[in-house]
């Protein structure tokens, strides 16, 4: 029954949805979500989804709003009110507050002629559908539709704002999702920690640089600062001979090393290193090395 209701909801989306989207997108403050009972629980989730996808939002309990929390709702905000009946008495003070101060109001309700629908700037009316409860009483189908509609608004706002994976990671720094969205810029060794030498550097100095930076490699740069090649500890072993220390970096470097852009995700860097069977990647922009990321950096950060 709930699945059927969702199909009906999707088929019935019309200009009102676009109007609600426009109204919420214009808010320079927060989207304040409110609802009572089960609608309130759904409203908490919708507010959390909005906030985590680039639309500042918060939930205000209608009962607390009547006892001072109306101060949380400003003229820069927009209100998203949920009530299947559209006659929830606890919402009356919030609705009146929006009308008094000209605060945009989007109502989500199951009744087109209800007080909430009539007072809203935009009313999103749920299609007629029976509750899944065998008695037709417990909010089930109606709250499922509210939740889906809230998700649709959140994702449409995300797309309109151009909210990117990088933006998403900023709001989700914890857990597996945060680790998956780490960029190489977050993990790379840069500045004085980056092993670098000039193309004419003596091998003795290259060895000292590699030893000091402890990454098993040294990037070799041209006079203009662009990356010309890389020397790894494996290169040193392969060229090991008495006269090695008399050589210059250019003589034993591997030219055109594999590199990666600074905004690439760490998972991409890990994939490249695994595919190429290497342990380091220089992070390069416009040909110039900005840093270096080691496979151990990815593994320590939990990227896998």
């Amino acid at each position: 029954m709930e699945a059927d209701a969702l199909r009906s909801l999707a088929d019935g989306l019309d200009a009102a949805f676009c109007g609600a989207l426009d109204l919420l997108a214009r808010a320079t403050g927060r989207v304040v979500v409110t609802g009572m009972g089960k609608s309130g629980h759904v409203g908490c989730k919708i507010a959390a989804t909005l906030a985590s996808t680039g639309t500042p939002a918060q939930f205000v309990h209608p009962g607390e709003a009547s006892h001072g929390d109306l101060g949380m709702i400003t003229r820069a905000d927009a209100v998203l009110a949920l009530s299947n009946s559209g006659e929830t008495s606890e919402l009356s003070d919030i609705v009146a507050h929006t009308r008094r101060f000209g605060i945009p109001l989007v109502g989500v309700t199951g009744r087109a002629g209800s007080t909430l629908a009539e007072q809203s700037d935009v009313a999103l009316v749920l299609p007629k559908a029976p509750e899944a409860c065998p008695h037709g009483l417990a909010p089930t189908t109606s709250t499922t539709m509210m939740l889906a509609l809230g998700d649709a608004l959140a994702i449409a706002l995300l797309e309109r704002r151009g909210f990117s994976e990088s933006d998403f990671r900023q709001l989700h720094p914890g857990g597996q999702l945060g680790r998956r969205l780490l960029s190489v810029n977050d993990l790379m060794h840069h500045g004085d920690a980056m092993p670098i030498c000039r193309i004419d550097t003596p091998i003795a100095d290259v060895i000292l640089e590699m030893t000091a930076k402890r990454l098993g490699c040294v990037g070799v740069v041209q006079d203009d600062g662009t990356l010309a090649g890389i020397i790894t500890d494996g290169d040193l072993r392969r060229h090991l001979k008495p006269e090695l220390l008399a050589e210059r970096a250019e003589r034993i470097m591997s030219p055109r090393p594999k590199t990666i852009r600074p905004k690439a995700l760490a998972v991409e860097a890990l994939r490249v290193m695994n595919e190429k069977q290497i342990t380091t990647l220089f992070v390069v922009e416009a040909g110039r090395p900005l840093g270096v990321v080691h496979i151990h950096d990815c593994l320590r950060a939990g990227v896998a």
Side-chain angles (χ1 to χ4, degrees):
M1 292 171 70
E2 293 186 8
D4 289 341
L6 288 176
R7 281 188 284 269
S8 180
L9 174 65
D11 292 341
L13 288 180
D14 56 17
F17 181 85
C18 297
L21 181 63
D22 292 339
L23 189 151
L24 297 177
R26 285 197 298 269
T28 57
R30 288 178 169 80
V31 173
V32 175
V33 187
T34 189
M36 193 68 191
K38 303 300 184 294
S39 295
H41 291 298
V42 170
C44 286
K45 192 275 179 185
I46 293 174
T49 299
L50 286 166
S52 72
T53 52
T55 299
Q58 70 181 90
F59 179 81
V60 172
H61 192 285
E64 299 296 339
S66 299
H67 296 275
D69 282 3
L70 282 175
M72 295 180 177
I73 308 172
T74 73
R75 297 188 186 195
D77 299 331
V79 172
L80 179 64
L82 313 176
S83 170
N84 189 40
S85 69
E87 303 294 344
T88 304
S89 59
E90 290 87 350
L91 288 176
S92 59
D93 288 334
I94 287 183
V95 171
H97 185 72
T98 65
R99 303 305 79 190
R100 179 182 179 185
F101 294 104
I103 299 169
L105 174 63
V106 175
V108 177
T109 178
R111 293 180 54 215
S114 64
T115 300
L116 178 59
E118 293 293 336
Q119 293 300 320
S120 296
D121 295 295
V122 178
L124 299 178
V125 180
L126 304 174
K128 296 293 183 184
E131 300 288 7
C133 165
H135 306 296
L137 299 174
T140 47
T141 304
S142 59
T143 49
T144 296
M145 288 192 289
M146 285 181 181
L147 185 60
L149 193 57
D151 283 348
L153 286 169
I155 299 308
L157 285 166
L158 175 153
E159 292 177 349
R160 176 173 291 197
R161 296 179 191 276
F163 192 76
S164 67
E165 284 187 354
S166 176
D167 297 323
F168 197 83
R169 193 191 70 77
Q170 297 298 321
L171 302 180
H172 299 76
Q176 182 61 29
L177 181 61
R179 291 191 291 273
R180 284 176 51 206
L181 295 179
L182 282 171
S183 70
V184 294
N185 198 43
D186 297 317
L187 299 178
M188 70 181 186
H189 303 264
H190 57 89
D192 291 339
M194 178 173 55
I196 284 290
C197 72
R198 293 171 61 88
I199 201 166
D200 58 353
T201 301
I203 295 300
D205 292 335
V206 171
I207 294 173
L208 290 175
E209 177 75 356
M210 187 183 298
T211 303
K213 303 302 170 60
R214 301 169 65 87
L215 291 174
C217 70
V218 174
V220 182
V221 295
Q222 303 273 12
D223 292 340
D224 62 1
T226 57
L227 186 68
I230 186 174
I231 299 174
T232 67
D233 50 6
D235 292 324
L236 292 175
R237 288 193 297 272
R238 283 188 291 273
H239 290 84
L240 190 59
K241 54 186 177 180
E243 59 270 27
L244 175 62
L245 296 183
E247 300 283 5
R248 302 287 172 170
E250 183 178 19
R251 175 70 178 79
I252 70 167
M253 74 178 188
S254 298
R256 298 180 298 279
K258 294 295 179 184
T259 62
I260 197 163
R261 64 195 187 283
K263 292 185 179 179
L265 295 181
V267 288
E268 180 182 343
L270 185 61
R271 175 183 60 79
V272 172
M273 286 187 277
N274 282 329
E275 288 179 354
K276 302 301 180 183
Q277 295 185 333
I278 57 179
T279 58
T280 53
L281 280 173
F282 270 88
V283 183
V284 172
E285 190 170 59
R288 298 175 180 271
L290 304 180
V292 60
V293 62
H294 194 281
I295 193 168
H296 290 166
D297 300 322
C298 298
L299 297 177
R300 275 194 296 268
V303 178

